[in-house]
Amino acid sequence: MSPALSAPTRPQPPNVPQRGSPGAHQQWTQGVALARQGRLAEAAACLERATRQSPHVPLYWLNLASVRRKLFRSSEAIDAARRAFTLNASDDTACHLLVELLRTNNRGAEALQALDELDERTPRNARHWLLRGSLLMTAQEWQGAALAFLQVLQAKPADIEAYQQLGFALANLRRFGDSAECFRTIAILEPSHFGAAVYAAHYAAWACDWAQGEADMQRLSGALALQTDPTQTTSFSPFCLLSMNDDAGLHRAAAEIEAARIERLVIAGAGRGAYTAWPRAAEAVAAGRIRVGFVSADFRTHATSMLAVRTFERLPRDRFEVVLYSHGSDDGSALRQRMVAAADRFVDCSEMNATEQAQTIHDDGIALLVDMSGYTGNTRLGVFALRPAPVQTLWLAYPSTLGASFVDYVIGDPILTPLEHAEDFTEQIAQLPLCYEPTDPLREHPEASSRADAGLPEHAFVFACFNQSYKITEPVFSRWCRILERVPGSVLWLLVPQVEIQAALRAHAAERGIASERLVFAPFVTPSEHLARLPQADLFLDTFPYGAHTTCSDALWMGLPVLTQLGRSFSARVAASLLSAVGLPELAVDSGEAYEELAVRLATEPGELARVRAHLSEKRLELPLFDNERFTGELGALFARMVGRWRDGLPPAALPCEDRTPA
């Protein structure tokens, strides 16, 4: 019997009535029976009559809240649960139901307050601590969340959900090794838990802890093989796989699993299917103006906004209306303000659930909806599952396929997404002529800082990589060490501020015969300070298979050459696309051996490297990568082609690049 349809087992204080009038009790009894039969609308009607006749009985309100929840009447369910809890503040069942309803509707602060209002004499059980920890995670209070999940594990030492949430809390506290151990524990307790296997390997990679790499990958392969029932798949982020291998087929298979899970949950939560008609969008398109909606949590000081802001500003308003749907925080930055100003409308969706956000987008008449998150943090991919716009596409922020039937296109370019790689994507490939990534030519180009400021040796050859540590795989690091060995006196400059990870990398270097002082570690600094320090490096060594994206663009903007290895997967091709767009395709090689040889040659034959650096510095404002006017025209033309197919009654299809003249 569901707890919400039965009387609480804990003895109630004598002042809390358990039964109303005979008529009310009869209605309640009938309502409970109907709910058990699945006749929810009739059950709700009976329970509503019971609460009207005896509004002082908390159990009647509690059961009504439960039934309204199943009917997806969220606001009314919250009202009923609040009445039940107000009438009996010692009932943790009512408290927790109210908290879950508030949390589901993105009302985290109210949910935490409700937890605090539970009578202090009521014992706090594992469910209570799990709810508190989850709410603190949403509030980004990682330390408090971790302590709450530890409370759960004291009561239930094998609780899978508590281990998972503790793992995420520890990862946000930058305790990556401890996080990996949490997920390994889950994978041992439940070998079919694919998400745990993925995160164990991912957070071990963050820690540059390669000792259990083979075992982690075996667990991951085993868990994937056990995903035979799509309705039982646990949540995970396919993003984590992108740095583990260059297997685009695996990336697609994993994404399809997660996309199907999201679609099932969202459709069930909405209580209906996806939209099938978009009259307001059609009306606007017929009038000659396409409403384009962009969905992201990162309209703030973030790489996505730094790259895209000028394009949003320049999309021609006689043909396009730009609407930004933001479900992230407002950091109060100048870039946030610029993003708000760049849009015709800026819609704060942070307190909307997926159904409400989709309804808003549909009502706004959006013809083309652009996902700018994918499976990165704080995604709202579920909004797209409801099909609020007739044409939906992925662009810029996620370097792979979404594996989703409800996203029509992925925007790329001939190098990044060649048409012969179509099988790697569930989306249709839509190609820009030159490069998929925009830039902002108005961005700062600061004066270079000094090597002394960066703690670098004045006369050494400086190899650098400013990619995050999870991209540094054991094969890549071994290759870097061989390069250092072949270039005497050179150093490797890395963006690894965590002391524990620095120690791990120094130990790995020592095992490969490289002295620890040849590794120099850079801290996180402001974007301006980061740009200023880049020219102090001589050559940027990219990672593989997940290479540099915005970091590569930053380096090229500041005149620092980038050496990359071209792979099969999207994430292993971005730097090659950027290098082509600055006229340096020769710096994208097709093997690890060629990468190593070219790195050594550029370090030991200074004339060739000097030519490359001069090309970047002297022609910076002429290079196609930094020509935003060209890019915006090409993107607008591609948007029009996508929407035009829908307007003409044609299904999505591959859109090969046209010539480079903006339409």
Side-chain angles (χ1 to χ4, degrees), residues 616-645:
L616 289 173
S617 61
E618 294 170 8
K619 299 183 178 181
R620 175 171 56 88
L621 296 179
E622 303 171 18
L623 298 173
L625 178 63
F626 304 121
D627 183 352
N628 184 265
E629 182 176 0
R630 171 202 60 80
F631 177 89
T632 302
E634 293 170 351
L635 184 66
L638 187 58
F639 283 171
R641 291 172 70 193
M642 293 176 182
V643 175
R645 287 191 64 85

Side-chain angles (χ1 to χ4, degrees), residues 126-429:
R127 183 185 181 198
H128 183 95
W129 289 112
L130 191 62
L131 284 169
R132 175 172 287 280
S134 299
L135 289 164
L136 291 172
M137 288 288 286
T138 301
Q140 300 186 5
E141 296 181 24
W142 317 122
Q143 187 69 42
L147 293 173
F149 297 132
L150 287 171
Q151 290 277 4
V152 178
L153 291 171
Q154 283 186 3
K156 299 174 65 177
D159 190 286
I160 298 294
E161 178 67 13
Y163 267 117
Q164 178 167 290
Q165 294 299 325
L166 177 60
F168 290 135
L170 291 170
N172 281 291
L173 289 167
R174 321 299 285 183
R175 292 172 55 180
F176 299 117
D178 292 334
S179 174
E181 286 303 317
C182 285
F183 289 108
R184 286 179 182 136
T185 300
I186 299 172
I188 292 169
L189 291 170
E190 193 174 309
S192 64
H193 199 300
F194 187 54
V198 168
Y199 292 123
H202 181 61
Y203 289 119
W206 267 104
C208 294
D209 175 9
W210 306 321
Q212 298 188 54
E214 185 175 346
D216 285 337
M217 295 311 296
Q218 287 176 348
R219 276 191 290 267
L220 197 154
S221 297
L224 180 60
L226 293 171
Q227 304 307 302
T228 56
D229 183 354
T231 66
Q232 299 300 314
T233 303
T234 54
S235 172
F236 70 98
S237 175
F239 171 82
C240 300
L241 295 171
L242 305 183
S243 58
M244 297 180 194
N245 55 58
D246 190 35
D247 187 343
L250 174 62
H251 301 167
R252 172 175 172 163
E256 287 178 316
I257 292 171
E258 179 63 5
R261 186 195 68 82
I262 290 172
E263 185 173 18
R264 285 193 306 274
L265 287 179
V266 170
I267 295 297
R272 58 171 178 76
Y275 293 98
T276 57
W278 306 271
R280 293 200 63 197
E283 180 183 350
V285 170
R289 197 160 184 241
I290 299 171
R291 292 194 184 111
V292 186
F294 299 86
V295 178
S296 178
D298 298 321
F299 297 140
R300 54 188 172 88
T301 301
H302 185 275
T304 296
S305 294
M306 291 175 185
L307 293 172
V309 62
R310 188 58 178 157
T311 296
F312 291 156
E313 291 171 340
R314 297 187 76 150
L315 274 170
R317 291 319 200 256
D318 61 329
R319 297 168 55 205
F320 299 98
E321 181 179 343
V322 175
V323 185
L324 303 188
Y325 296 96
S326 171
H327 55 273
S329 60
D330 179 357
D331 62 359
S333 65
L335 183 55
R336 167 73 170 207
Q337 295 171 15
R338 188 176 168 194
M339 292 294 286
V340 172
D344 295 288
R345 289 181 58 232
F346 190 97
V347 184
D348 184 353
C349 304
S350 58
E351 294 188 359
M352 297 182 190
N353 59 32
T355 304
E356 292 166 339
Q357 187 170 347
Q359 184 69 56
T360 299
I361 291 166
H362 181 267
D363 292 346
D364 287 345
I366 298 298
L368 174 61
L369 191 64
V370 184
D371 177 37
M372 301 186 73
S373 294
Y375 293 112
T376 59
N378 204 10
T379 180
R380 281 281 176 94
L381 190 58
V383 170
F384 289 74
L386 290 170
R387 269 283 176 189
V391 185
Q392 302 190 153
T393 188
L394 170 67
W395 175 51
L396 189 60
Y398 186 70
S400 187
T401 180
L402 295 174
S405 62
F406 46 82
V407 176
D408 305 304
Y409 295 98
V410 56
I411 294 177
D413 59 59
I415 292 175
L416 188 69
T417 53
L419 295 183
E420 55 267 30
H421 289 187
E423 66 185 22
D424 298 342
F425 300 89
T426 54
E427 307 87 352
Q428 297 290 339
I429 292 174

